Amino acid sequence: MEMRETSRRSPATHFVDIHEVPEVEEEGEEEEEHDENKPTRTPEKQEKRFNKAIKAQETKRPKRCFSRQVSLETGFSVLNGDKRERRALPRSGKSFGGFGSAYATGAEARKGDFSIFKTKSTLVKQNSKLPLRKESGIDLQHNDVSGGLDESVNESVPAGRYFAALRGPELDQVKESEDILLPKDEKWPFLLRFPIGCFGICLGLSSQSILWRALATSPAMKFLHITPLINLAIWLLALTVLVAVFITYALKCAFYFEAVKREYFHPVRVNFFFAPWVVCMFLAIGVPSSIAPDKLHPAVWCTFMAPIVFLDLKVYGQWLSGGKRRLCKVANPSSHLSVVGNFVGAILAAKVGWAEAGKFLWAIGFAHYLVVFVTLYQRLPTSEALPKELHPVYSMFIATPAAASIAWGAIYGEFDGLSRTCFFIALFLYCSLIVRINFFRGFRFSVAWWSYTFPMTTASIATIKYAEQVPSVISKGLALTLSFMSSTIVSILLVSTLLHAFVWKTLFPNDLAIAITKRRQGKEKKSLKKVYDIRRWTKQSPLSFVSNIGKHNSAEHNTTDKDNEVDK
């Protein structure tokens, strides 16, 4: 009867009895079979043996009892309760064994965790804070389910990944199809939002100290009667800003070193690591006479040039060796910073009395300037126009030839033919950018605006040197005009920077470029289709392959016969 009633039930309904069968019952049955051959015992002994078997069964059986009609999901969760923490699971297909909602919640929590960019942070350390993932048996190192959030952040991102995930010649805008490790709609910590490009502010102010020192001491500008106190005030302001920016970025290195490493391996931002040392040399060149003598100690030059030489070897070596970081791939207007450092170092070498070292640096800088200039003049690496927020970096074209002309004049003591050649190149590029006024209008303020100041100030100083060698009304008027323009722009940008930083608090948005994933989310469909076609072709039987070739040859033979008949 029971068999018939079971067969009448719906085939879609399954009942599972998950009682654990105690081993005592089997032993009892074996003892009963063994006792059949023995003489019959008294009823008291049989009752005693029966009670003993029941007690043994109760001790062996688990304390908890299950219902006979339970879901497989709940059954597995209870059976594994001794190994992991017991938690309630919803009866949905998304949470089988922790592969659903629990895993998604962990990924979302990981995505908002800013500690992954902290110093010495690793994926193992982050997984130790998420016991549910570890207990569920999911290996995050090999499963890229969360879209790239499962990678080790402390490993350097390949250069090709920056080009694949970012857009724009500056490679600072994330493509819409890409995901990042940190949330876009949440404000990040200040240190994570503080980029290496902030040293551009120091470049503008420190170059102004050199300009006002030249205006106060140059024979061609004597008619202005500039007091040296302006040079002193600007030099102290530049030194204060440099200390503030340097301390802030040093704190970023201390607390978010993984983010600093990503900026260092960024094919574009690596050029801004030259900026702090160029600023230090600017301050050494423009130091007021009341603070230090005109001829500095050579140890100053050695201290500031050592990092630049190290960066030269790294960056120029990558340009020469090729690969993903070759110059035709990473060239952008900010690449001039890596060249300007050599010319500024040559100026400081001449000031400390090491003319030969200055000639060596000038030769290195000029050789690489020609390569960078031709590469940028011909074509930008991404074949795209710069976004409007980054148009000011085009003024970097002016800085290098202007610095080269000043350095040559400082080394050889006169503004001769080669110095004038470099100055005229800078002046032509300056005019070519000024006539395009619409090119620099209609975009919001950003730190990139400080790229105006440093090249314009360098061109103004070169014009003053030219006016000293070729004194005339035109040369002096040109020097005065360019100096006024550069100082006005620096003043406006300084006020705007203070307002955006402390009043409106919009100067430092989230730096999305450092939060890209090491691998792209998902795979391309084209490659999968190609793989599928190759597998389908290889699975084809040899006989069918030969028959297809025979059919193809016979068809060609028939067509040739028909053509011959038509010809007859």
Side-chain angles (χ1 to χ4, degrees), residues 171-406:
L171 297 180
D172 63 340
Q173 298 179 358
V174 181
K175 294 181 180 179
E176 296 180 356
S177 60
E178 295 290 338
D179 195 10
I180 61 175
L181 297 173
L182 299 179
K184 297 181 181 179
D185 54 350
E186 184 179 349
K187 193 173 183 179
W188 299 0
F190 172 72
L191 293 178
L192 274 180
R193 294 182 286 113
F194 193 82
I196 186 68
C198 290
F199 283 99
I201 303 174
C202 306
L203 282 173
L205 294 175
S206 59
S207 60
Q208 280 290 308
S209 66
I210 302 176
L211 172 63
W212 283 94
R213 189 177 191 274
L215 289 173
T217 59
S218 174
M221 299 287 110
K222 261 186 183 180
F223 66 95
L224 294 175
H225 301 287
I226 302 296
T227 176
L229 294 178
I230 300 178
N231 173 34
L232 177 61
I234 297 176
W235 189 86
L236 293 175
L237 176 62
L239 180 63
T240 304
V241 174
L242 174 62
V243 171
V245 174
F246 193 87
I247 291 176
T248 305
Y249 202 79
L251 291 175
K252 182 177 181 179
C253 295
F255 293 102
Y256 293 98
F257 187 68
E258 305 303 331
V260 176
K261 285 174 59 179
R262 290 202 164 207
E263 284 191 306
Y264 181 74
F265 288 110
H266 194 284
V268 175
R269 295 193 181 184
V270 65
N271 299 304
F272 287 93
F273 282 87
F274 289 87
W277 316 109
V278 174
V279 173
C280 292
M281 288 190 292
F282 274 161
L283 292 176
I285 296 171
V287 61
S289 301
S290 58
I291 295 179
D294 291 339
K295 188 175 182 180
L296 300 177
H297 195 275
V300 177
W301 180 84
C302 295
T303 303
F304 297 150
M305 272 305 302
I308 291 183
V309 172
F310 171 77
L311 291 172
D312 282 344
L313 294 175
K314 178 185 183 300
V315 176
Y316 297 164
Q318 291 175 350
W319 293 356
L320 181 64
S321 60
K324 291 294 184 179
R325 300 179 189 272
R326 60 186 182 273
L327 183 60
C328 62
K329 291 287 292 182
V330 301
N332 63 93
S334 63
S335 300
H336 287 288
L337 280 174
S338 60
V339 181
V340 169
N342 296 292
F343 294 124
V344 178
I347 298 172
L348 185 59
K351 188 168 185 177
V352 301
W354 287 8
E356 293 301 319
K359 296 175 184 178
F360 172 75
L361 292 175
W362 195 95
I364 296 175
F366 189 76
H368 289 87
Y369 166 67
L370 293 178
V371 178
V372 173
F373 179 76
V374 172
T375 304
L376 292 177
Y377 213 91
Q378 181 181 6
R379 185 183 182 185
L380 286 172
T382 54
S383 301
E384 297 178 2
L386 276 172
K388 287 186 176 181
E389 290 80 2
L390 297 172
H391 280 178
V393 298
Y394 274 111
S395 58
M396 286 286 185
F397 281 95
I398 309 171
T400 309
S405 65
I406 299 172

Side-chain angles (χ1 to χ4, degrees), residues 79-97:
L79 284 176
N80 297 329
D82 297 336
K83 298 180 180 179
R84 65 187 183 193
E85 185 180 358
R86 186 174 180 179
R87 52 191 175 93
L89 294 175
R91 294 192 179 188
S92 62
K94 296 181 179 181
S95 60
F96 178 73

Side-chain angles (χ1 to χ4, degrees), residues 149 162 301 351 397 436 493:
L149 299 178
Y162 287 103
W301 180 84
K351 188 168 185 177
F397 281 95
R436 304 184 64 185
L493 289 182

Side-chain angles (χ1 to χ4, degrees), residues 453-495:
T453 60
F454 159 57
M456 292 180 66
T457 306
T458 309
S460 302
I461 299 171
T463 309
I464 294 174
K465 299 296 182 181
Y466 176 75
E468 292 176 1
Q469 193 70 26
V470 186
S472 64
V473 177
I474 297 177
S475 61
K476 293 180 181 179
L478 183 62
L480 181 61
T481 302
L482 296 182
S483 301
F484 176 76
M485 288 176 58
S486 63
S487 299
T488 303
I489 290 178
V490 167
S491 302
I492 294 174
L493 289 182
L494 182 61
V495 175

